[in-house]
Amino acid sequence: SSPHLVQVRERIRINGQPISKDLFNKYFWLVYNRLEETKDPVHANMPAYFRFLTIMAFHVFLQEKVDLAVVEVGIGGTYDCTNIIRAPVVCGVSSLGIDHTSILGDTMEKIAWQKGGIFKPGVPAFTVAQPEQPLEVLRERARERKCPLYLCPELDDFEEGCGALELGLAGAHQRSNAALALQLARMWLQRRGCQALGELREVPPSTKLVGRPVPLAPAFRLTDAMIQGLRDTEWLGRTQVLSHGPVMWYLDGAHTTSSIQACVRWFRQAALNQDKLHDGSEVRVLLFNATGDRDTAALLKLLVPCHFDYAVFCPNFMEVSVANNADQQNFNVTLENALTRCLENQRTWTRLLEEKVGQDPWLPSPLRVGGLLQPAPARGSLLLVPPAPRPLNSPALVFPCLAQALQWVAQGRDPHLAAPAASGAHPHPAASSGAVLLREAAVVHVLVTGSLHLVGGALRLLDPALSQ
């Protein structure tokens, strides 16, 4: 799977656990040296990062003799380097979203065409409910490739006879993912000749979907192991909540419009449930970054209804100097470029709030952005705040790295994080007044979203055990 959150070893797992450092080291050099010995002397390039890790993953699975390998496509499908498996047992396409448009195309139909590239002759494939046109594209791709394609029933259809299913992953969108996972798992078990899979239920003729000519797969009675599997599923960085005293961290790597919409629904409900437990003031903070060719303004617009008191923007760099942490360094992005993107996001957020005033009586009049990076020479940090006389009205702040952003948000109230330096710590009005509110609030809700790399960096700081 990709990307990793904290350590690259997360990408290659056996029995759910990242392979050990010793195993990673052993297979990395084995594959590297083999490629080095056999590469074309004329075009003497090693495979790129993701391709190398894909080759290495296949080698690990073969050498360790795994029974089943679940391989997640990197980007798209048709031209992705994972798409060399000639005869997988089964294929699945989850809910489509607009992402990686410079590579996959700028419409859902173009993206569906790319995703359908993983279909193989005679290999069953499953997908979930999709918009009509993209689903039509998937159907045509399946027909071209002589692949039987089925639509998963809703998770509700599996609950007959066993009651409401409990999912380990929060969020309504995980129900369609669970339905897809059940179909893929059953197909593999069936191919292995496993008994007692639970009888299939008939699909009544009335359930045929008008205008969606992909046949509906029948639901089936779930085994106890399947029910437990859904309940015990964990996936770091996706609808994850860390409760650190009065500071509640909500981590979700959403980075497309559809996933941000799902994230907003989850966060608003989760924060509401937490508020019922507290009798006192709450402060809401957004910590956001986005990378690549994503339409940041569209993503931020979806987050406005969460009524954040502060929006904090920072690059995905853990520290201003990231040389000590190669696992989480993006060698394609400079700090200067990343900070420029953060400043653009800050301006966008302020503009969105200004547009919202008048439509929403709950939002105060926001501040205007000053547009200047103000250095604090003593600590070498950068902070952009609106230099306005009313600093408490939804300010947007920029920090140069995750460590400083998290320290400012937590204000020493999270035992995993150091308190921000006391001497002259961000003397700017919005930062200092915000610090007072953050220190005095009964509970601080912090949503970290927009980038899986951002979430991974936050997790590394908030849960040091993950780095071991």
Side-chain angles (χ1 to χ4, degrees):
S1 63
S2 63
H4 61 272
L5 291 173
V6 177
Q7 298 194 73
V8 68
R9 296 182 293 112
E10 298 166 27
R11 295 176 182 239
I12 306 174
R13 297 169 180 259
I14 296 179
N15 292 333
Q17 296 302 311
I19 60 174
S20 68
K21 291 180 180 179
D22 288 343
L23 216 55
F24 186 93
N25 191 41
K26 168 187 167 183
Y27 285 121
F28 176 91
W29 287 113
L30 196 153
V31 172
Y32 186 93
N33 291 333
R34 190 75 56 83
L35 289 171
E36 186 72 37
E37 291 164 9
T38 57
K39 69 185 180 185
D40 180 348
V42 179
H43 307 98
N45 290 329
M46 293 293 275
Y49 182 80
F50 185 81
R51 289 188 177 195
F52 181 92
L53 289 173
T54 303
I55 295 166
M56 182 175 155
F58 287 140
H59 188 70
V60 169
F61 294 150
L62 288 166
Q63 294 299 308
E64 297 295 315
K65 297 181 171 54
V66 300
D67 302 297
L68 161 69
V70 181
V71 180
E72 183 204 26
V73 168
I75 293 178
T78 300
Y79 304 116
D80 192 80
C81 66
T82 58
N83 196 26
I84 63 165
I85 303 170
R86 294 188 181 91
V89 171
V90 63
C91 294
V93 176
S94 58
S95 185
L96 296 169
I98 297 286
D99 198 14
H100 303 295
T101 52
S102 61
I103 300 171
L104 304 181
D106 55 2
T107 67
M108 292 277 270
E109 290 76 13
K110 291 175 183 175
I111 290 170
W113 188 91
Q114 296 279 2
K115 303 275 185 178
I118 67 170
F119 296 156
K120 302 292 186 292
V123 174
F126 294 89
T127 190
V128 296
Q130 311 280 9
E132 190 172 335
Q133 292 306 311
L135 187 65
E136 181 71 26
V137 172
L138 289 176
R139 187 193 72 147
E140 286 305 313
R141 289 288 270 163
R143 183 181 292 171
E144 284 169 18
R145 293 170 164 262
K146 299 180 173 55
C147 159
L149 175 65
Y150 302 94
L151 199 63
C152 291
E154 299 289 335
L155 196 61
D156 298 8
D157 297 337
F158 292 93
E159 294 181 331
E160 290 179 28
C162 68
L165 292 167
E166 183 185 341
L167 300 186
L169 300 180
H173 57 292
Q174 296 295 354
R175 291 183 67 80
S176 73
N177 289 337
L180 178 59
L182 289 171
Q183 295 288 355
L184 300 180
R186 189 185 196 281
M187 183 57 61
W188 185 78
L189 290 166
Q190 188 178 325
R191 282 283 297 273
R192 287 290 294 248
C194 294
Q195 302 301 312
L197 291 181
E199 71 274 6
L200 296 172
R201 299 200 177 102
E202 290 296 319
V203 179
S206 60
T207 61
K208 287 182 180 175
L209 301 175
V210 179
R212 294 187 176 183
V214 175
L216 191 68
F220 50 89
R221 188 169 52 81
L222 303 187
T223 65
D224 290 344
M226 290 174 176
I227 293 170
Q228 182 183 346
L230 294 177
R231 184 176 61 241
D232 294 347
T233 299
E234 292 180 349
W235 200 243
L236 297 180
R238 279 78 169 178
T239 60
Q240 181 183 3
V241 182
L242 292 177
S243 178
H244 290 184
V247 187
M248 302 290 300
W249 301 95
Y250 300 82
L251 307 166
D252 192 88
H255 50 271
T256 66
T257 50
S258 55
S259 60
I260 287 283
Q261 285 170 330
C263 171
V264 166
R265 287 193 296 270
W266 161 72
F267 171 73
R268 294 182 78 173
Q269 188 59 50
L272 187 67
N273 291 340
Q274 279 297 325
D275 285 343
K276 292 174 183 174
L277 306 175
H278 293 276
D279 184 19
S281 62
E282 65 151 325
V283 174
R284 289 191 176 191
V285 181
L286 170 66
L287 178 56
F288 180 91
N289 192 39
T291 58
D293 54 8
R294 297 185 174 91
D295 183 353
T296 311
L299 303 183
L300 288 172
K301 188 172 185 178
L302 296 170
L303 290 158
V304 169
C306 291
H307 303 305
F308 291 106
D309 299 287
Y310 294 92
V312 175
F313 303 96
C314 73
N316 294 340
F317 298 126
M318 297 259 302
E319 306 280 353
V320 178
S321 170
V322 290
N324 62 342
N325 183 18
D327 267 13
Q328 295 196 288
Q329 184 169 357
N330 184 343
F331 293 96
N332 300 317
V333 180
T334 66
L335 177 59
E336 184 181 2
N337 290 343
L339 272 174
T340 301
R341 183 81 178 261
C342 291
L343 299 178
E344 290 169 359
N345 293 341
Q346 188 216 32
R347 281 191 286 272
T348 299
W349 181 256
T350 305
R351 177 177 53 78
L352 286 169
L353 290 180
E354 286 176 344
E355 291 171 358
K356 190 75 175 166
V357 170
Q359 304 172 36
D360 191 335
W362 297 103
L363 279 176
S365 177
L367 298 169
R368 296 189 173 278
V369 176
L372 293 174
L373 269 176
Q374 302 170 355
R379 300 204 327 284
S381 66
L382 294 166
L383 173 72
L384 184 71
V385 295
R390 299 172 60 199
L392 297 183
N393 292 343
S394 301
L397 298 86
V398 173
F399 291 89
C401 67
L402 255 167
Q404 290 187 23
L406 293 182
Q407 285 171 0
W408 180 81
V409 171
Q411 287 298 314
R413 304 180 74 187
D414 183 331
H416 295 284
L417 294 171
S423 57
H426 300 311
H428 314 286
S432 53
S433 59
V436 173
L437 287 180
L438 290 165
R439 283 195 294 268
E440 294 181 352
V443 61
V444 180
H445 298 293
V446 191
L447 175 61
V448 185
T449 192
S451 162
L452 275 166
H453 300 287
L454 179 77
V455 167
L459 266 176
R460 188 182 182 98
L461 292 163
L462 295 170
D463 188 355
L466 294 174
S467 303
Q468 302 306 312

